Amino acid sequence: MADKKTIAVIGGGQCTKKEAGLAEEVGKELAKRGAILVCGGLGGVMEAACRGASAEGGTTIGILPGDDSRAANPHVQIPIATGMGYARNIAVVRSAGAVIAVGGSYGTLSEISYALQGGTPVIGLGTWTISRNGKEDGAIIPAQSPAEAVDKALKLASKKREK
């Protein structure tokens, strides 16, 4: 697995049908391209992405907030119980070469912040935008489709590794 890229997929534990569909397609695209998917391991966007990756024979890792690895969604192949609560968000994004954010609420926003602080690229698919002094920051790279999000994530993950 050392030669495979790891991409984090982040988003809400509860999500809309549209967000779930986008996340599932992201998971499928990641698996088709041989990437490892890491996420928070629970429901919503995380479960949909893992479902998509699993359907295509991909590898899924769930970094869980609690102590029980059985809390992972049924599509997580490698559950990691941390007992860290929301602090596990740092481990999720720091485990990846790039992050794809799909929808999400404040937990997702915290993961985006941790990723950007650590120099990990973030691709946004219907998620947050960031502005400073009324001007868009541009730190979150927009994508219009799951395939485009995965293309950008894999390309940027390669560049991060080269540093």
Side-chain angles (χ1 to χ4, degrees):
M1 282 196 224
D3 59 336
K4 291 188 174 191
K5 293 183 182 103
T6 301
I7 305 297
V9 179
I10 62 172
Q14 295 181 359
C15 63
T16 66
K17 286 183 181 181
K18 180 180 179 182
E19 290 167 340
L22 292 170
E24 189 166 349
E25 287 302 314
V26 165
K28 286 179 180 179
E29 288 292 327
L30 288 170
K32 286 177 187 176
R33 299 173 199 209
I36 297 167
L37 186 154
V38 64
C39 68
L42 299 177
V45 163
M46 298 167 279
E47 183 170 0
C50 288
R51 181 173 48 248
S54 292
E56 294 293 333
T59 302
T60 60
I61 301 169
I63 301 178
L64 302 161
D67 294 322
D68 187 356
S69 62
R70 295 172 296 181
N73 75 63
H75 309 287
V76 169
Q77 297 157 359
I78 304 168
I80 300 170
T82 66
M84 295 171 56
Y86 291 122
R88 71 73 153 88
N89 290 355
I90 297 169
V92 171
V93 299
R94 296 286 170 93
S95 297
V99 174
I100 299 173
V102 181
S105 191
Y106 295 118
T108 305
L109 183 58
S110 76
E111 288 173 302
I112 290 169
S113 175
Y114 293 135
L116 295 174
Q117 284 175 329
T120 303
V122 177
I123 294 81
L125 195 54
T127 193
W128 293 87
T129 58
I130 300 172
S131 64
R132 292 182 194 192
N133 298 320
K135 295 180 182 178
E136 189 165 331
D137 179 279
I140 300 171
I141 300 157
Q144 302 305 312
S145 70
E148 181 186 357
V150 171
D151 284 342
K152 289 180 176 184
L154 292 174
K155 184 176 181 181
L156 292 168
S158 294
K159 288 183 179 179
K160 185 180 178 195
R161 277 200 166 151
E162 293 170 5
K163 288 183 179 180

